[in-house]
Amino acid sequence: MPNIKSAKKRVLVNKTKAARNRSANSALKTAIKKANVAIETNAADKAAVVAVAVKKIDQAAAKGLIHKNNAARKKSALVTKLNKA
């Protein structure tokens, strides 16, 4: 455990940020899974679900949770899968 006041604060701040990042990553993965399921089951609202997933991917990239090239690759894969279906 840190002794210095600023180090103690860093521990608390890092814990808060880690929880926020974990939540955002979970939401991102859930959105991508929902989009993949919608495409595979040929759901009526698959385009809307993919749009939501693309938005989540963009938000994750903007927050620095994933790299911008990773985001582009994920979006490209989803849209390509949607267009083939």
Side-chain angles (χ1 to χ4, degrees):
M1 213 40 213
N3 294 324
I4 300 170
K5 185 176 180 181
S6 62
K8 290 178 183 177
K9 181 178 178 183
R10 293 303 334 148
V11 168
L12 296 175
V13 170
N14 286 337
K15 189 183 297 185
T16 304
K17 285 185 177 184
R20 186 178 299 133
N21 288 341
R22 189 166 42 251
S23 173
N25 271 323
S26 178
L28 172 65
K29 290 177 185 179
T30 302
I32 292 172
K33 285 178 187 176
K34 283 183 181 178
N36 282 325
V37 168
I39 292 169
E40 289 166 5
T41 60
N42 204 15
D45 61 341
K46 61 184 174 186
V49 176
V50 168
V52 169
V54 167
K55 184 176 179 180
K56 287 277 189 193
I57 292 169
D58 284 335
Q59 288 173 340
K63 291 177 182 176
L65 293 174
I66 59 175
H67 192 274
K68 64 178 187 172
N69 290 353
N70 188 349
R73 190 171 64 248
K74 287 180 187 296
K75 290 191 300 187
S76 176
L78 269 181
V79 173
T80 302
K81 196 172 183 182
L82 175 66
N83 290 338
K84 285 186 179 178

